[in-house]
Amino acid sequence: MPVFLLKISMQIKKDFDYYYNLHDTVTHALLHLLFKVSMSERFVPTAKRNEVLVKYLKPKLNDKSLSNIRKDIKLMLNVARKKTGNLEMRLYQLNEQANRTQMAGVEKLYSLLMYLHEEEGLESQLYEEGVKAEPDVLYLLEGHIEHGFDQNNKQTAPVSILTESERAPDLLDVIHRFGWFVAEMKEWNPDKHQAHILLHPPY
């Protein structure tokens, strides 16, 4: 197995958790700020906006579920506490940079799974043999991720998603609207609501 793919295999679960936590924290921080600003009848200056973000983010340093992004949160707080710091602008810049970056295959997969989590409320996990599958969870096969992308991180083979969900047939349209992948229903058991979906590259 190429070293690059071996690294992907070993880090895949860690990367999933990190990507979800960081994105969710940044997004919710900005939404929280937007809500607070909209409640004010006056213009809210940068210093006050920084205070709002610090108040929102500081408790998350003690959130054990966010331990993998604690360093990132500390960096955010440092930006907000500087005299000339503008954390809101920095967070928007990070989002803009991410949108302009051409995402590689595995990163596109992360982004899709994050989208399905946010829009459809579906968690994603690597399938582990012997562990009972939970309903409305998207399971990925580690081997498909290892062998589905080449050394340049380009998708070369379909990636399987296994799930038990009544909404599984509707996911095809959701995935197509998101873009970057062509979804195929490989198998569907309407009695047990079990689905095997294949993600193909869009060509």
Side-chain angles (χ1 to χ4, degrees), residues 56-149:
Y56 177 81
L57 290 169
K58 191 174 180 180
K60 300 197 176 299
L61 288 173
N62 299 319
D63 188 337
K64 291 182 180 179
S65 68
L66 300 177
S67 61
N68 59 345
I69 63 164
R70 186 168 288 131
K71 288 183 180 179
D72 299 275
I73 296 174
K74 286 181 178 179
L75 288 173
M76 295 177 198
L77 293 173
N78 287 339
V79 170
R81 288 167 174 161
K82 287 180 180 178
K83 263 190 174 182
T84 57
N86 187 332
L87 181 54
E88 179 187 14
M89 181 181 293
R90 180 59 183 150
L91 294 180
Y92 278 117
Q93 285 174 347
L94 290 172
N95 280 343
E96 187 178 343
Q97 288 171 7
N99 290 335
R100 280 188 290 188
T101 301
Q102 185 176 5
M103 300 184 80
V106 176
E107 291 169 331
K108 289 179 180 178
L109 179 59
Y110 293 159
S111 186
L112 170 64
L113 296 174
M114 183 180 63
Y115 176 81
L116 293 174
H117 172 69
E118 292 178 344
E119 299 297 322
E120 302 295 324
L122 298 171
E123 298 287 345
S124 302
Q125 296 182 19
L126 286 179
Y127 176 76
E128 296 181 33
E129 193 171 349
V131 177
K132 185 179 179 181
E134 299 178 14
D136 292 316
V137 173
L138 306 178
Y139 290 94
L140 285 86
L141 302 176
E142 187 172 8
H144 280 210
I145 299 173
E146 291 175 5
H147 304 293
F149 300 88

